[in-house]
Amino acid sequence: MTDAREPLLTVEQLHVSYGSIVAVRDLDLEVFPGEIVTLLGPNGAGKSSTLNAIMGCTRASANAIRFDGADVRDEPVERRVRRGMALSPEGRQVFENLTVMENLRLGGASQGKAHGGPAAFDEVTELFPILRDRRDQQAGTLSGGQQQQLAIARALMSRPRLVLLDEPSLGLAPTIVDAIFELIAKLHDRGITIVLVEQNVTRSLEIADRGYVLEGGRVVMSGTAAELHEAGDELVGAYLGIGG
Ligand code: ATP
């Protein structure tokens, strides 16, 4: 599919390895402004490694990682955050002994005083009223669903244009999963571009515009969400199946 717009994110020939383990190879990816793009694939396919490499959280090589026209390949995470990229990592990784408010402040800290302050707190907690109510509570005492909300909210504190969401529904009860997907739709409505890594294939293809299927660190299929949904049987063969 051709698109006249410039991509917000372009990844060319990404390669990630951990010692002798090659996690991602020859990966090309494009994300256009306002899109939700989902990365699908079985455990160990290289999805998290891809997000971490895009954000600069893991060592990687690539011909280019371009965000909004700038090659960010050699930039540290903080610089990428200032440009408007943010990651909500797999496993939430909230600071359990810090309060909700303190966790959120850390998310905004890299933007300096102009961002991540009270205005960002108000803006972000408008989406997550529970976090406003529990602002002084230790993060470790929140439920799993609330901690996931906190992880996403923390990523939003820097007012990103691109958010990388790694398995936001993992291990959550179905009603909480519904709430997380409603939240992703709200972020999309606000014009935030999203890359979504999900085990829940059906839900992510419902919400996404396009997707890439990874297996063994490579892209084995890509297309619009409708095309990937239609390729259901092939996807089942490739890994975990529609309905998952
Ligand atoms: P999952 O859904 O299980 O998180 P994934 O598709 O996100 O899987 P990655 O987590 O990126 O896949 O892992 C890709 C490969 O790299 C796997 O073989 C994994 O065991 C390996 N791997 C990931 N992180 C590390 C690490 N820090 N050290 C060594 N190997 C790693």
Side-chain angles (χ1 to χ4, degrees):
M1 190 176 74
T2 57
D3 196 312
R5 295 169 303 163
E6 287 292 314
L8 182 62
L9 175 73
T10 306
V11 175
E12 288 174 10
Q13 294 293 295
L14 180 69
H15 190 95
V16 181
S17 47
Y18 307 98
S20 60
I21 298 167
V22 179
V24 179
R25 59 190 93 206
D26 306 328
L27 183 134
D28 291 341
L29 178 79
E30 274 186 334
V31 182
F32 290 89
E35 274 192 319
I36 300 180
V37 170
T38 184
L39 304 188
L40 305 171
N43 286 338
K47 306 177 300 292
S48 297
S49 298
T50 300
L51 292 194
N52 290 334
I54 291 170
M55 200 61 217
C57 297
T58 198
R59 199 187 294 267
S61 71
N63 286 357
I65 301 177
R66 249 190 320 279
F67 178 71
D68 201 17
D71 195 341
V72 301
R73 255 179 316 175
D74 298 324
E75 294 183 349
V77 182
E78 316 82 73
R79 180 84 185 102
R80 298 184 207 202
V81 171
R82 281 200 297 277
R83 286 188 184 278
M85 305 167 73
L87 169 70
S88 172
E90 185 175 15
R92 298 156 204 158
Q93 298 180 23
V94 300
F95 297 98
E96 296 193 352
N97 294 325
L98 300 183
T99 65
V100 167
M101 185 70 179
E102 286 164 345
N103 268 277
L104 290 174
R105 278 209 195 103
L106 283 173
S110 53
Q111 283 281 29
K113 280 189 185 150
H115 298 275
F121 178 80
D122 287 347
E123 212 173 275
V124 166
T125 52
E126 195 189 310
L127 286 165
F128 306 89
I130 190 78
L131 298 182
R132 186 192 297 266
D133 297 346
R134 304 197 172 206
R135 57 193 284 164
D136 298 320
Q137 190 171 323
Q138 278 201 337
T141 65
L142 297 175
S143 70
Q146 290 161 357
Q147 288 191 23
Q148 183 59 64
Q149 292 187 47
L150 177 58
I152 299 173
R154 188 178 55 187
L156 295 175
M157 284 294 286
S158 58
R159 293 177 162 149
R161 284 176 289 157
L162 173 71
V163 178
L164 312 172
L165 295 176
D166 199 349
E167 305 264 17
S169 75
L170 193 68
L172 300 179
T175 53
I176 312 294
V177 173
D178 288 346
I180 295 289
F181 274 90
E182 275 168 31
L183 176 70
I184 296 170
K186 274 191 198 163
L187 302 182
H188 183 234
D189 290 345
R190 292 185 173 199
I192 297 177
T193 306
I194 295 163
V195 180
L196 173 65
V197 164
E198 257 298 334
Q199 293 286 351
N200 193 326
V201 182
T202 304
R203 295 298 296 264
S204 43
L205 288 178
E206 273 167 14
I207 202 169
D209 298 294
R210 289 188 306 113
Y212 294 83
V213 181
L214 274 66
E215 198 184 15
R218 293 182 195 278
V219 174
V220 292
M221 208 184 290
S222 64
T224 64
E227 285 166 351
L228 291 178
H229 199 268
E230 268 174 32
D233 287 346
E234 225 178 306
L235 283 183
V236 172
Y239 65 112
L240 38 70
I242 296 289

Tab-separated table of all heavy atoms in Angstrom, residues 18 21-23 41-50 90 166-167 197 199, ligand 1:
chain	number	residue	atom	x	y	z
A	18	TYR	N	21.292	-10.844	21.530
A	18	TYR	CA	21.776	-10.932	22.909
A	18	TYR	C	22.840	-12.024	22.898
A	18	TYR	O	22.489	-13.209	22.841
A	18	TYR	CB	20.642	-11.313	23.860
A	18	TYR	CG	19.423	-10.417	23.763
A	18	TYR	CD1	18.315	-10.792	23.008
A	18	TYR	CD2	19.387	-9.192	24.419
A	18	TYR	CE1	17.199	-9.977	22.924
A	18	TYR	CE2	18.275	-8.369	24.337
A	18	TYR	CZ	17.191	-8.771	23.590
A	18	TYR	OH	16.089	-7.962	23.503
A	21	ILE	N	22.266	-15.139	20.731
A	21	ILE	CA	20.834	-15.252	20.394
A	21	ILE	C	20.428	-14.071	19.517
A	21	ILE	O	20.536	-12.916	19.935
A	21	ILE	CB	19.956	-15.238	21.669
A	21	ILE	CG1	20.297	-16.431	22.553
A	21	ILE	CG2	18.469	-15.227	21.321
A	21	ILE	CD1	19.714	-16.334	23.946
A	22	VAL	N	19.967	-14.385	18.310
A	22	VAL	CA	19.476	-13.308	17.439
A	22	VAL	C	17.976	-13.183	17.681
A	22	VAL	O	17.209	-14.115	17.437
A	22	VAL	CB	19.762	-13.612	15.954
A	22	VAL	CG1	19.213	-12.502	15.068
A	22	VAL	CG2	21.258	-13.784	15.738
A	23	ALA	N	17.555	-12.028	18.192
A	23	ALA	CA	16.149	-11.824	18.556
A	23	ALA	C	15.358	-11.180	17.430
A	23	ALA	O	14.162	-11.441	17.265
A	23	ALA	CB	16.063	-10.964	19.818
A	41	GLY	N	2.751	-12.133	17.104
A	41	GLY	CA	3.693	-13.242	16.952
A	41	GLY	C	3.801	-14.025	18.241
A	41	GLY	O	3.426	-13.533	19.303
A	42	PRO	N	4.308	-15.257	18.143
A	42	PRO	CA	4.398	-16.113	19.330
A	42	PRO	C	5.421	-15.598	20.338
A	42	PRO	O	6.191	-14.681	20.036
A	42	PRO	CB	4.849	-17.456	18.758
A	42	PRO	CG	5.572	-17.115	17.506
A	42	PRO	CD	4.908	-15.882	16.955
A	43	ASN	N	5.436	-16.217	21.502
A	43	ASN	CA	6.451	-15.871	22.500
A	43	ASN	C	7.831	-16.025	21.881
A	43	ASN	O	8.097	-16.987	21.167
A	43	ASN	CB	6.369	-16.828	23.708
A	43	ASN	CG	5.162	-16.528	24.570
A	43	ASN	OD1	4.631	-15.422	24.531
A	43	ASN	ND2	4.722	-17.515	25.322
A	44	GLY	N	8.671	-15.047	22.159
A	44	GLY	CA	10.048	-15.140	21.669
A	44	GLY	C	10.232	-14.707	20.233
A	44	GLY	O	11.327	-14.830	19.680
A	45	ALA	N	9.176	-14.179	19.596
A	45	ALA	CA	9.263	-13.790	18.171
A	45	ALA	C	10.112	-12.541	17.956
A	45	ALA	O	10.542	-12.263	16.847
A	45	ALA	CB	7.870	-13.569	17.605
A	46	GLY	N	10.303	-11.769	19.012
A	46	GLY	CA	11.123	-10.562	18.890
A	46	GLY	C	10.343	-9.262	19.009
A	46	GLY	O	10.875	-8.183	18.728
A	47	LYS	N	9.113	-9.338	19.472
A	47	LYS	CA	8.250	-8.145	19.542
A	47	LYS	C	8.771	-7.138	20.572
A	47	LYS	O	8.921	-5.951	20.281
A	47	LYS	CB	6.802	-8.548	19.861
A	47	LYS	CG	6.248	-9.596	18.910
A	47	LYS	CD	4.842	-10.037	19.274
A	47	LYS	CE	4.667	-10.655	20.647
A	47	LYS	NZ	5.318	-11.993	20.825
A	48	SER	N	9.018	-7.621	21.791
A	48	SER	CA	9.509	-6.705	22.834
A	48	SER	C	10.875	-6.147	22.459
A	48	SER	O	11.153	-4.957	22.673
A	48	SER	CB	9.642	-7.424	24.182
A	48	SER	OG	8.387	-7.860	24.612
A	49	SER	N	11.713	-6.999	21.893
A	49	SER	CA	13.048	-6.526	21.499
A	49	SER	C	12.922	-5.415	20.468
A	49	SER	O	13.694	-4.443	20.493
A	49	SER	CB	13.863	-7.684	20.910
A	49	SER	OG	14.045	-8.686	21.877
A	50	THR	N	11.953	-5.525	19.574
A	50	THR	CA	11.746	-4.488	18.562
A	50	THR	C	11.344	-3.174	19.226
A	50	THR	O	11.921	-2.116	18.937
A	50	THR	CB	10.655	-4.940	17.551
A	50	THR	OG1	11.110	-6.141	16.922
A	50	THR	CG2	10.378	-3.878	16.511
A	90	GLU	N	6.730	-4.108	28.830
A	90	GLU	CA	6.113	-5.374	29.228
A	90	GLU	C	6.326	-5.576	30.724
A	90	GLU	O	7.376	-5.236	31.265
A	90	GLU	CB	6.759	-6.529	28.446
A	90	GLU	CG	6.103	-7.850	28.711
A	90	GLU	CD	6.670	-8.972	27.853
A	90	GLU	OE1	7.743	-8.825	27.261
A	90	GLU	OE2	6.005	-10.023	27.801
A	166	ASP	N	3.644	-2.374	25.194
A	166	ASP	CA	4.070	-3.772	25.179
A	166	ASP	C	3.152	-4.602	26.068
A	166	ASP	O	3.207	-4.499	27.296
A	166	ASP	CB	5.539	-3.886	25.631
A	166	ASP	CG	6.165	-5.206	25.204
A	166	ASP	OD1	5.418	-6.098	24.751
A	166	ASP	OD2	7.397	-5.334	25.313
A	167	GLU	N	2.335	-5.415	25.439
A	167	GLU	CA	1.435	-6.358	26.128
A	167	GLU	C	0.600	-5.699	27.229
A	167	GLU	O	0.622	-6.155	28.383
A	167	GLU	CB	2.247	-7.495	26.771
A	167	GLU	CG	3.152	-8.232	25.810
A	167	GLU	CD	2.532	-9.501	25.241
A	167	GLU	OE1	1.298	-9.646	25.340
A	167	GLU	OE2	3.288	-10.298	24.683
A	197	VAL	N	1.986	-4.134	20.915
A	197	VAL	CA	2.361	-5.550	20.959
A	197	VAL	C	1.321	-6.264	21.803
A	197	VAL	O	1.049	-5.845	22.926
A	197	VAL	CB	3.770	-5.735	21.568
A	197	VAL	CG1	4.003	-7.187	21.968
A	197	VAL	CG2	4.842	-5.290	20.584
A	199	GLN	N	-0.744	-10.242	22.688
A	199	GLN	CA	-1.020	-11.669	22.488
A	199	GLN	C	-2.467	-11.860	22.054
A	199	GLN	O	-2.823	-12.871	21.455
A	199	GLN	CB	-0.812	-12.443	23.809
A	199	GLN	CG	0.611	-12.503	24.283
A	199	GLN	CD	1.464	-13.449	23.482
A	199	GLN	OE1	0.962	-14.199	22.651
A	199	GLN	NE2	2.766	-13.399	23.698
B	1	ATP	P1	7.293	-12.483	24.537
B	1	ATP	O1	5.908	-12.369	24.052
B	1	ATP	O2	7.574	-13.815	25.187
B	1	ATP	O3	7.795	-11.317	25.315
B	1	ATP	P2	8.631	-11.421	22.209
B	1	ATP	O4	8.069	-11.679	20.873
B	1	ATP	O5	8.417	-10.099	22.815
B	1	ATP	O6	8.199	-12.568	23.197
B	1	ATP	P3	11.402	-11.022	22.803
B	1	ATP	O7	11.089	-10.841	24.253
B	1	ATP	O8	11.813	-9.848	22.026
B	1	ATP	O9	10.187	-11.719	22.070
B	1	ATP	O10	12.516	-12.162	22.696
B	1	ATP	C1	13.104	-12.556	21.453
B	1	ATP	C2	14.217	-13.562	21.745
B	1	ATP	O11	15.266	-12.929	22.439
B	1	ATP	C3	13.796	-14.749	22.588
B	1	ATP	O12	14.508	-15.873	22.134
B	1	ATP	C4	14.237	-14.361	23.974
B	1	ATP	O13	14.495	-15.495	24.760
B	1	ATP	C5	15.505	-13.571	23.686
B	1	ATP	N1	15.753	-12.507	24.678
B	1	ATP	C6	14.961	-11.463	24.962
B	1	ATP	N2	15.515	-10.656	25.886
B	1	ATP	C7	16.720	-11.224	26.191
B	1	ATP	C8	17.802	-10.865	27.064
B	1	ATP	N3	17.739	-9.774	27.819
B	1	ATP	N4	18.877	-11.698	27.107
B	1	ATP	C9	18.933	-12.802	26.344
B	1	ATP	N5	17.966	-13.183	25.488
B	1	ATP	C10	16.872	-12.415	25.408
